[in-house]
Amino acid sequence: MKIRKNIFVIMLAMLTAMAAGCSLDDGRVQKKPLEYDNETDLTSLDEHVLSDKIKELNCPNDVRENMSVVYTIDTLINENVVGLVRYNKGKYYSVTKVENGGYLFLLYESNGETYYLADGMLVSTLVDTSLSADIEKGMSRDEIIEKDPSAYVGLDCSYHRLNDKSTLVVNYIEEDGSYVVSETGFSSNPASVLHYLTDEDFDEILG
């Protein structure tokens, strides 16, 4: 009877652990897979106001990885920022439809315990790859941004998501009170949400 009782206790403990997630070697609990929806069309999503929070989340991984604030997908879902979650090529990303025809795409990475925000892109239409050839050293930052309204703009840099899924990075220096192009290049960071969009989602912002 005692042996049976011990077996029952062990089985109960195992079931409890499975319900919570998979245990890692260091005692942490692996996050269970997220529920996702790869079927719903983006155009049918409810539209969100272009809030300061959504603008803040529009941040490429090259910049975000140097920030101290870390957002988890659970937090963003609870704050009603996430429209729906997709799963493609082994990664989760979320989509939020924004007023004026834009979409916020957020890519998530896992640290074993949770899924955290790695890359953010707020875009209506991806800019053509010809933009890189049109930019010359000494051009004003305002002139560059006018060519790509969906660009992420920092003080001395801007990031441009191109329609071939690459990311053009433009660096600026200050001259006579304004910022002008000092150099351009392409981000080699693999954590770009563009690489993980479903074909249907990519086509929606291709223009």
Side-chain angles (χ1 to χ4, degrees):
M1 182 65 69
K2 185 175 182 180
I3 294 176
R4 290 183 179 177
K5 182 177 181 181
N6 289 340
I7 292 175
F8 175 76
V9 171
I10 292 171
M11 291 180 64
L12 181 62
M14 291 175 63
L15 289 172
T16 302
M18 290 173 64
C22 300
S23 179
L24 301 177
D25 291 340
D26 59 5
R28 292 176 299 157
V29 175
Q30 173 68 47
K31 195 71 174 175
K32 290 191 298 183
L34 298 172
E35 293 185 4
Y36 63 91
D37 175 1
N38 283 5
E39 303 300 326
T40 300
D41 191 284
L42 295 188
T43 59
S44 67
L45 296 178
D46 292 334
E47 194 173 87
H48 285 60
V49 174
L50 183 56
S51 62
D52 290 339
K53 186 57 172 286
I54 287 179
K55 294 177 182 177
E56 178 188 351
L57 296 174
N58 173 37
C59 184
N61 182 263
D62 286 346
V63 177
R64 181 159 298 284
E65 64 184 3
N66 295 315
M67 294 180 171
S68 58
V69 178
V70 177
Y71 291 103
T72 67
I73 191 170
D74 292 332
T75 297
L76 297 178
I77 290 174
N78 290 335
E79 293 180 355
N80 196 33
V81 175
V82 172
L84 59 77
V85 177
R86 303 281 209 211
Y87 183 76
N88 193 38
K89 299 179 181 178
K91 299 287 186 182
Y92 291 103
Y93 71 91
S94 64
V95 190
T96 306
K97 187 177 182 180
V98 183
E99 60 185 347
N100 300 323
Y103 294 94
L104 176 68
F105 295 92
L106 302 177
L107 177 69
Y108 302 92
E109 299 280 2
S110 173
N111 61 6
E113 294 180 293
T114 188
Y115 297 97
Y116 63 91
L117 176 59
D119 183 50
M121 175 181 70
L122 180 60
V123 62
S124 53
T125 303
L126 294 171
V127 69
D128 190 79
T129 54
S130 61
L131 175 67
S132 59
D134 293 340
I135 298 176
E136 298 179 355
K137 190 174 181 178
M139 290 178 66
S140 72
R141 183 178 62 187
D142 292 343
E143 188 176 354
I144 306 302
I145 304 310
E146 187 176 343
K147 296 175 180 291
D148 180 18
S150 296
Y152 167 85
V153 184
L155 183 63
D156 58 359
C157 66
S158 61
Y159 285 74
H160 307 265
R161 315 281 184 146
L162 307 184
N163 60 9
D164 65 351
K165 299 187 178 182
S166 64
T167 301
L168 175 67
V169 183
V170 183
N171 292 319
Y172 305 93
I173 56 174
E174 188 175 7
E175 286 187 358
D176 300 325
S178 63
Y179 286 88
V180 298
V181 176
S182 60
E183 60 180 353
T184 64
F186 288 90
S187 173
S188 59
N189 195 324
S192 170
V193 69
L194 268 178
H195 298 317
Y196 299 97
L197 299 185
T198 63
D199 291 340
E200 293 78 11
D201 289 356
F202 182 72
D203 288 344
E204 181 63 29
I205 58 174
L206 194 54

